[in-house]
Amino acid sequence: MIDYHVHTRLCNHANGTMVQYIQSAIDKGLSEICFLDHLTLNEMGCDLSMGIDDVPLYLYAARRLGDQYKDRITVKAGLEIDFTPMYAETAAAVTERFSFDVIGGSVHFVEAANIVSSKRSKNDTAHPDAAFYEQYLDLVDMMLDYSCFDVICHLDVVKKFGAQPPAEFFDRMEEILTKIKHKDIVLEINTSGLSHPANAVYPDPAILKSCFEKDIPVTFGSDAHRPEQVGRHFDEAVTLLRNAGYRRLTGFSRQNRYEIPI
Ligand SMILES: [Zn+2]
Ligand SMILES: [Zn+2]
């Protein structure tokens, strides 16, 4: 099994050393771990991310550890880029300058709101209106036009705090999935949602079925922000995936894909 979404202390809101994350993955019997730490250029979230200047050191550290642990586990290096239109070109330039294994794209901000922040959930994310969902999907849609992304992370994270999206959200999601297939992008099964009020993987099992029907490849990530979260809820998620019809995951090496049976 693989975990392609693990953070590090560099993002200022995760605990544990990179070695501890790797050790946790080894203890859980994973064959691969991929660091996918935040690169957020949006000023609302840049204190929750590495800075652009940290990128070379982060990549170097992951590669060194990859070498050090190569007999026990495969260590990959990637970035979780926050998609904010204003900074998209700058972020895309970073992905060209450095040789990562995988680049993930995520939407964390809808206008002035950090939609994944628990602070915000106490205020107004608990019951978002239809326009909010529409704006979120507009950003996801726009993100798909950038060719730098290999993987779309936590596709329906907008449900994180437990609100059920309206029917229109799922209708529009069908269009988004068609575009993901057309653009030949991989979708992440992000198991962190099972630890959130949503209590469901991202994307929802109902969406997963449609992903399989559209033949969209998938990868797996825990979104661990602590070493013990590596590989969380994977047994449950594998069952969901297999029920949807999937029999393989996608891994990445220097942005080239390969298949991993499950
Ligand atoms: Zn994220
Ligand atoms: Zn993440």
Side-chain angles (χ1 to χ4, degrees):
M1 186 46 70
I2 58 172
D3 189 339
Y4 263 67
H5 193 148
V6 171
H7 289 278
T8 80
R9 286 206 283 226
L10 262 183
C11 70
N12 304 314
H13 65 286
N15 301 320
T17 64
M18 290 171 97
V19 165
Q20 286 174 316
Y21 284 92
I22 293 170
Q23 194 56 55
S24 177
I26 293 169
D27 293 345
K28 287 171 180 168
L30 303 190
S31 55
E32 286 190 40
I33 180 174
C34 181
F35 291 104
L36 199 76
D37 211 0
H38 291 285
L39 181 63
T40 301
L41 303 175
N42 187 326
E43 65 279 0
M44 281 185 292
C46 56
D47 56 336
L48 302 171
S49 163
M50 74 177 89
I52 268 193
D53 294 345
D54 298 323
V55 172
L57 185 63
Y58 161 68
L59 179 57
Y60 176 74
R63 293 290 182 230
R64 260 194 81 128
L65 289 168
D67 208 36
Q68 204 177 317
Y69 282 86
K70 65 175 185 292
D71 297 334
R72 284 188 273 172
I73 191 167
T74 302
V75 178
K76 298 278 173 65
L79 286 173
E80 180 185 10
I81 292 183
D82 168 70
F83 179 74
T84 300
M86 196 176 156
Y87 302 100
E89 294 297 340
T90 311
V94 172
T95 68
E96 295 205 352
R97 203 174 323 140
F98 299 97
S99 186
F100 282 101
D101 293 304
V102 60
I103 302 296
S106 299
V107 173
H108 297 122
F109 299 93
V110 174
E111 295 198 330
N114 180 343
I115 61 166
V116 292
S117 161
S118 53
K119 284 188 204 119
R120 178 173 157 81
S121 77
K122 292 190 189 85
N123 303 321
D124 44 0
T125 322
H127 300 287
D129 60 16
F132 175 85
Y133 289 105
E134 193 68 22
Q135 281 173 300
Y136 172 77
L137 289 179
D138 283 346
L139 287 165
V140 172
D141 195 336
M142 225 184 284
M143 174 165 68
L144 299 177
D145 289 326
Y146 286 81
S147 59
C148 57
F149 299 114
D150 302 298
V151 175
I152 300 305
C153 302
H154 49 58
L155 181 66
D156 61 350
V157 72
V158 72
K159 74 181 179 192
K160 179 173 177 177
F161 297 107
Q164 181 62 23
E168 302 84 63
F169 178 84
F170 293 97
D171 293 342
R172 177 89 188 276
M173 185 59 82
E174 277 297 302
E175 292 170 29
I176 298 277
L177 294 181
T178 300
K179 188 166 174 178
I180 287 173
K181 176 62 188 169
H182 177 69
K183 298 277 182 181
D184 194 24
I185 301 173
V186 174
L187 197 64
E188 176 194 69
I189 311 305
N190 186 310
T191 58
S192 69
L194 288 163
S195 300
H196 298 156
N199 194 26
V201 295
Y202 309 119
D204 220 65
I207 297 173
L208 258 184
K209 192 110 194 107
S210 183
C211 293
F212 180 74
E213 282 159 12
K214 290 181 171 59
D215 193 27
I216 296 171
V218 292
T219 192
F220 236 51
S222 66
D223 218 338
H225 284 70
R226 296 199 299 273
E228 64 270 24
Q229 292 175 340
V230 171
R232 61 178 155 178
H233 309 300
F234 274 19
D235 288 349
E236 188 173 343
V238 166
T239 302
L240 287 172
L241 256 194
R242 290 186 68 88
N243 287 346
Y246 282 98
R247 294 294 178 270
R248 55 189 86 84
L249 299 172
T250 301
F252 296 85
S253 189
R254 311 268 171 168
Q255 295 189 278
N256 294 310
R257 295 183 201 175
Y258 53 91
E259 292 184 342
I260 299 156
I262 50 166

